[in-house]
Amino acid sequence: EGAANERLCRFLAREFGERSGVEVHRELAPVKLRASAELMVYRLVQEAITNISKYAKARQVWISLASNDGRVQVSVRDDGFGLDPGTQPGSAYGLVGMRFRVEAEGGVWTLASIPGQGTRVQASLPESA
């Protein structure tokens, strides 16, 4: 329990790095989440790195998973192109679905992107007891 998410994120990061040649930095700690939230974190990381491989042209990716003050924080950041500020939410590469899944687990989803400097997808979720 708790280490499953860390292992899954580590696996995704390793596979992505090997397949893409992108340098992947990981800071992954075991966290306590309900099973449905664990699956959501896995899918969030998976979707984020899929978007990076398709659109970002990144050289480096940072994936973090940690627990702090009763909240689980997951973040995927890249140094790629960033999103076009004119991108409409409905066409934003699965980002709407990501946000919906995080919010369905009682979490908060944020997206930060600067054209030419990369993108960060982050979720903060309540830790499971």
Side-chain angles (χ1 to χ4, degrees):
E1 153 107 30
N5 242 324
E6 175 196 8
R7 285 192 306 272
L8 287 171
C9 289
R10 197 171 300 281
F11 169 77
L12 284 172
R14 185 179 64 245
E15 291 289 308
F16 172 66
E18 290 172 0
R19 190 177 66 249
S20 68
V22 171
E23 187 176 354
V24 180
H25 307 275
R26 301 178 298 256
E27 285 187 42
L28 305 171
V31 297
K32 293 179 181 163
L33 290 169
R34 292 188 320 270
S36 60
E38 283 195 10
L39 179 58
M40 185 280 305
V41 167
Y42 174 81
R43 288 199 173 137
L44 178 123
V45 172
Q46 185 178 47
E47 178 75 21
I49 61 177
T50 296
N51 288 345
I52 291 166
S53 67
K54 286 183 179 179
Y55 309 109
K57 305 287 190 259
R59 293 177 308 283
Q60 296 186 80
V61 171
W62 294 264
I63 301 172
S64 66
L65 179 66
S67 178
N68 188 18
D69 285 337
R71 304 285 297 175
V72 171
Q73 309 289 332
V74 59
S75 172
V76 181
R77 180 171 65 93
D78 69 71
D79 66 352
F81 287 151
L83 293 174
D84 178 344
T87 301
Q88 296 301 311
S91 64
Y93 316 129
L95 298 174
V96 171
M98 230 186 265
R99 178 179 170 190
F100 176 79
R101 287 190 297 270
V102 170
E103 290 176 352
E105 292 296 335
V108 177
W109 181 85
T110 57
L111 172 72
S113 185
I114 300 173
Q117 295 184 30
T119 301
R120 184 185 71 217
V121 173
Q122 189 169 338
S124 174
L125 302 152
E127 191 171 36
S128 177

